[in-house]
Amino acid sequence: MQFDTPATTNPIDRLKVVGQPVPRIDGALKVTGRAMYAYEWHDPSIPCAYGYPVGAAIAKGRIKSMDVSGAKRAAGVIAVVTAPEVGDRKKGKFNTAKLFGGEEVQHYHQAIAVVVAETFEQARAAAGLVKVDYIEERGAFDLAQAMETAVKPESGDPDSAVGDFEVAFKSAAVTLEQTYTTPDQSHAMMEPHASIAAWNGDELTVWTSSQMIDWWRTDLATTLAIDKEKIHLMSPFIGGGFGSKLFLRSDAVLAAFAARAAGRPVKVALPRPFLMNNTTHRPATVQRLRIGAERDGKITAIAHESWSGDLPGGQPETAVMQTRLLYAGANRMTAMRLATLDLPEGNAMRAPGEAPGLMALEIAMDEVAEKLGIDPVEFRIINDTQVDPEKPERPFSHRDFVGCLKLGAERFQWSGRGRPGSRREGNWLIGTGAASAFRNNLLLPSGARVRLDREGVVSVETDMTDIGTGSYTIIAQTAAEMLGVTIDKVSVQLGDSRFPVSSGSGGQFGANCSTAGVYAACVKLREAVAQKLGFNSEDIVFENGQVRSGNRSVPLSEAAGPEGLAGEDKIEWGKLAETHQQSTFGAHFVEVGVDVATGETRIRRMLAVCAAGRILNPITARSQVIGAMTMGAGGALSEELAVDTRRGFFVNHDLAGYEVPVHADIPHQEVIFMDETDAMSSPMKAKGIGELGLCGVSAAIANAIYNATGVRVRHYPITLDKVIGELPDLA
């Protein structure tokens, strides 16, 4: 199905199932432990061995020699596979560094061997006996120093310019020029990267934890130098990813090589330190904001420059992208520069670009508003735009940014905010802050197959994944709505490379694109049913388990016949996203308390108002937003991968040292969804929500801390040491 004209009225608009608060259909499996995650697959007749990775102990250099004799003699050891044995292999399209390193070490904890044993404990113990001599080379690990040699990336549209920023900035009535920094951050999801690999001749089966089945399968085939069709990859349930499982990781590669060497299935789960140093992370940024405005609050000049680092061949953190679209202003400039760093790979983490970019931009907006003497929410409203500011001839498909700000301000009682440092309850200074939320609506092709059997049961097959987002449920809702059945009559199978290729999960494109693919397949099945029954497909109605055309009505199960029927198709996108800018919008409001003696910050309440097209399921959508808000709290107050700039690795590489929020940190959250649709986005008229809920949260907290204390912090995380020195006197 080619989606190249705006959606008109279609069966989804009935909203009998879609848009309703349907509980997760996979919920019972998860809470009872029957949902099979990657490391848990088990067949008693096929005993698995256990693989444990050996990571490089240096960040940059070469392997001089490797002695595995001690490991091979250890109890229970079946095989030891080393990087030199594996040889020089092609890396996947989406990988910056090799997942099974060769003689060259590209980053700390790059996998250089895997030890296979009968038990996990034996494999771990033997891995500690592998002795490696290195030739260590000097690396670059400090972004602040590497900025001097940062370059303009060769791809990815790094710079933009409209009008004459420099002239407009110099002539503006009020100006701001500030630098903000965000640290390296880790995905820190609960489930580690884990895979089980089993060979049958030259065919490979992998149970893994992957957000993008087809991407993984393709890159694994490249790494192993085998035909993609000989790989069967399964990932039915994922215990969190946040972008770290978008691309093939070393656990799947190590498991494949280990299983081949052991002659039996092998399980590999990356230890927690490997999640920080062996996989990917959100890169640190240094961001320079310059904003000029007139006394009436209208922005006349805005510039956003960002510096980040990555391994050679990597990409920048796209922290300036939202600034190209969020606010009006005739004279504009953005630029990204990329430094070479020998730290582990930087790559996508929930809302890449917008999340760290808004951490800076939305503090800057508050600072300009204060200079103007204009309320920060009103300042944002004044600078709303209904067209792409860099391409005024290109309107937004649907934009209710102002509605989010106004409704949020009303519900949060923003008008009672007060001046910085003016509210106090005992030892707590109280403050409120706001920030804008923005995330683009991304579109990827997505396919599905839908079957109907003689019992009237609808089965959906697609390689779409569920990373805790509710994919099973919203896909079932889509099929139920399209075929006029109750949701208990729908069976959904996901995460299997034998199924049609979907969009996968990431970039908040998963829900909209995957359900649109199911919609397309259901249209094919509806046509097959109409043809089978001799109905006119133009006026056929599917409702209450019946198929109706004119005065004739037939049970859906009868239409299937003894052989059943099937429909398969995929959604493909036309040029609507080119002619109209498609984005999602929101507003975050936060109230904090800051201890006047210690500088400790406590969040008291949070509100998110989101405009993201049709909400397919308010239960699963709300869960996505409150989880994102929680991640934003961590980004504001605690999360930072501490870099050892001498040795080139992240020191706090576990959940004891890398501090994420816990329940006690998040006392009250409220989420409001604007009642809207976007006909240009898809037949579902939906957009994404999972990353919008993160964008702007950290800045809202930073702005609330300023309102509470009068202390402006521009460098995340906002730990008490950055606040305490400027707090007012206890008296």
Side-chain angles (χ1 to χ4, degrees):
M1 173 184 288
Q2 185 78 10
F3 185 74
D4 49 17
T5 58
T8 55
T9 301
N10 64 44
I12 298 298
D13 294 326
R14 296 181 303 177
L15 299 181
K16 291 187 174 182
V17 190
V18 169
Q20 301 305 313
V22 177
R24 294 172 186 262
I25 63 174
D26 54 322
L29 293 176
K30 290 180 174 177
V31 299
T32 58
R34 290 177 291 148
M36 199 72 73
Y37 290 84
Y39 201 69
E40 298 172 334
W41 178 84
H42 179 66
D43 183 341
S45 65
I46 311 175
C48 275
Y50 293 81
Y52 196 89
V54 177
I58 64 170
K60 184 177 176 64
R62 306 187 71 81
I63 296 173
K64 183 178 181 181
S65 65
M66 188 181 301
D67 181 1
V68 298
S69 58
K72 287 184 175 181
R73 292 194 302 267
V77 170
I78 300 167
V80 179
V81 184
T82 68
E85 292 172 354
V86 167
D88 189 21
R89 298 269 176 164
K90 290 183 180 179
K91 65 181 180 67
K93 173 184 175 182
F94 294 107
N95 298 134
T96 303
K98 291 183 177 180
L99 300 181
F100 205 154
E103 291 185 359
E104 179 190 4
V105 174
Q106 297 171 283
H107 62 84
Y108 186 82
H109 265 174
Q110 186 174 24
I112 58 174
V114 58
V115 178
V116 186
E118 295 289 350
T119 69
F120 170 79
E121 291 78 8
Q122 289 172 332
R124 180 177 59 184
L129 300 176
V130 175
K131 299 184 183 303
V132 187
D133 286 333
Y134 302 96
I135 300 173
E136 193 168 1
E137 299 174 11
R138 184 168 182 167
F141 311 120
D142 190 331
L143 177 60
Q145 292 183 2
M147 283 174 60
E148 299 176 4
T149 57
V151 299
K152 178 180 177 179
E154 296 181 358
S155 60
D157 192 22
D159 293 1
S160 70
V162 174
D164 192 328
F165 167 77
E166 296 293 348
V167 170
F169 183 69
K170 289 177 182 177
S171 62
V174 172
T175 62
L176 170 83
E177 180 174 355
Q178 287 292 350
T179 298
Y180 308 82
T181 63
T182 64
D184 297 289
Q185 295 178 341
S186 173
H187 306 82
M189 62 285 165
M190 289 181 66
E191 182 198 29
H193 297 74
S195 295
I196 303 173
W199 290 90
N200 181 10
D202 62 350
E203 296 186 350
L204 174 66
T205 300
V206 182
W207 295 263
T208 192
S209 187
S210 163
Q211 296 176 228
M212 307 290 290
I213 297 292
D214 193 59
W215 290 4
W216 278 55
R217 187 180 179 217
T218 302
D219 278 0
L220 184 57
T222 298
T223 304
L224 299 176
I226 65 174
D227 190 329
K228 173 182 174 179
E229 298 305 315
K230 292 186 179 295
I231 298 176
H232 178 200
L233 197 147
M234 289 174 284
S235 187
F237 296 101
I238 303 168
F242 307 123
S244 72
K245 297 173 182 175
L246 281 173
F247 315 120
L248 179 69
R249 300 311 328 160
S250 64
D251 56 293
V253 175
L254 295 175
F257 281 113
R260 178 180 281 166
R264 58 196 273 196
V266 173
K267 293 187 175 191
V268 175
L270 298 185
R272 185 63 62 173
F274 274 58
L275 271 59
M276 277 67 168
N277 285 300
N278 174 269
T279 65
T280 61
H281 70 284
R282 191 196 301 280
T285 69
V286 177
Q287 301 178 51
R288 180 192 186 200
L289 266 297
R290 288 177 288 168
I291 301 175
E294 295 307 303
R295 288 293 176 186
D296 61 2
K298 291 183 179 179
I299 293 173
T300 56
I302 184 167
H304 192 168
E305 299 161 274
S306 177
W307 290 260
S308 60
D310 202 359
L311 292 164
Q315 298 294 322
E317 178 68 37
T318 56
V320 307
M321 301 305 281
Q322 73 291 320
T323 308
R324 298 178 181 180
L325 293 162
L326 186 49
Y327 297 116
N331 303 283
R332 328 173 58 84
M333 184 271 281
T334 67
M336 293 180 282
R337 294 297 178 262
L338 179 62
T340 296
L341 293 179
D342 299 300
L343 292 170
E345 177 184 345
N347 215 316
M349 179 171 159
R350 196 175 197 172
E354 288 98 334
L358 287 164
M359 289 171 79
L361 174 63
E362 288 303 291
I363 295 180
M365 288 294 289
D366 261 39
E367 294 196 68
V368 177
E370 183 177 45
K371 285 190 172 193
L372 289 165
I374 297 176
D375 177 85
V377 171
E378 181 60 28
F379 180 51
R380 289 167 170 84
I381 292 172
I382 289 171
N383 289 287
D384 182 43
T385 173
Q386 292 298 310
V387 298
D388 179 342
E390 293 190 353
K391 302 170 185 174
E393 71 281 2
R394 185 169 175 254
F396 282 91
S397 61
H398 185 79
R399 174 175 168 135
D400 193 12
F401 174 50
V402 169
C404 294
L405 289 165
K406 288 184 174 180
L407 180 57
E410 178 186 347
R411 290 289 288 267
F412 206 72
Q413 299 178 323
W414 179 257
S415 60
R417 180 170 179 253
R419 294 174 290 101
S422 63
R423 295 172 58 199
R424 183 166 174 173
E425 296 178 8
N427 269 7
W428 293 97
L429 298 169
I430 311 302
T432 54
S436 303
F438 175 93
R439 174 72 174 166
N440 269 336
N441 184 49
L442 307 179
L443 301 172
L444 270 69
S446 193
R449 182 165 51 242
V450 183
R451 303 181 190 275
L452 174 66
D453 69 15
R454 60 184 179 182
E455 302 297 325
V457 173
V458 177
S459 299
V460 183
E461 298 171 345
T462 171
D463 82 354
M464 179 59 182
T465 52
D466 191 317
I467 55 176
T469 47
S471 300
Y472 279 98
T473 308
I474 59 173
I475 284 173
Q477 289 176 269
T478 302
E481 194 78 77
M482 289 294 291
L483 296 167
V485 299
T486 54
I487 200 164
D488 61 307
K489 285 286 190 177
V490 180
S491 170
V492 179
Q493 298 180 67
L494 302 181
D496 193 315
S497 63
R498 295 172 298 187
F499 300 153
V501 175
S502 72
S503 63
S505 300
Q508 80 171 24
F509 52 69
N512 180 43
C513 295
S514 67
T515 55
V518 173
Y519 174 100
C522 286
V523 169
K524 289 288 188 183
L525 181 55
R526 286 166 62 102
E527 291 172 352
V529 169
Q531 185 176 9
K532 179 78 174 290
L533 297 175
F535 285 175
N536 182 352
S537 61
E538 295 298 319
D539 64 6
I540 192 170
V541 176
F542 290 72
E543 191 171 34
N544 300 325
Q546 300 284 314
V547 186
R548 190 175 69 250
S549 180
N551 295 324
R552 186 181 169 203
S553 181
V554 178
L556 186 61
S557 56
E558 184 178 320
E563 302 299 322
L565 291 174
E568 181 174 338
D569 202 357
K570 67 178 178 179
I571 193 79
E572 296 183 285
W573 310 101
K575 294 187 177 181
L576 288 176
E578 298 175 20
T579 60
H580 292 73
Q581 174 59 39
Q582 296 186 18
S583 304
T584 59
F585 303 90
H588 289 287
F589 293 83
V590 177
E591 181 180 82
V592 303
V594 180
D595 190 291
V596 73
T598 67
E600 175 191 13
T601 296
R602 286 288 180 183
I603 294 172
R604 293 159 60 102
R605 57 192 177 103
M606 306 176 78
L607 167 67
V609 183
C610 303
R614 171 173 284 150
I615 300 303
L616 301 175
N617 184 326
I619 292 179
T620 57
R622 178 181 180 275
S623 292
Q624 282 295 286
V625 175
I626 64 173
M629 293 161 72
T630 302
M631 184 175 277
L637 301 176
S638 63
E639 292 188 42
E640 176 181 15
L641 283 171
V643 181
D644 184 324
T645 56
R646 296 170 301 122
R647 301 298 303 275
F649 71 101
F650 299 126
V651 180
N652 54 334
H653 46 215
D654 57 33
L655 291 180
Y658 185 84
E659 297 178 346
V660 299
V662 297
H663 286 149
D665 296 317
I666 313 294
H668 178 77
Q669 295 173 305
E670 184 179 0
V671 180
I672 299 172
F673 296 117
M674 302 296 281
D675 185 11
E676 64 172 40
T677 59
D678 191 334
M680 292 190 181
S681 175
S682 78
M684 306 299 293
K685 303 175 185 174
K687 291 187 280 197
I689 194 70
E691 300 186 348
L692 181 69
L694 167 61
C695 297
V697 175
S698 297
I701 294 170
N703 292 334
I705 291 172
Y706 175 76
N707 181 245
T709 65
V711 180
R712 177 69 72 186
V713 182
R714 303 183 181 92
H715 307 287
Y716 294 94
I718 307 174
T719 46
L720 58 85
D721 57 295
K722 297 173 184 173
V723 177
I724 193 169
E726 299 181 52
L727 287 173
D729 294 336
L730 282 170

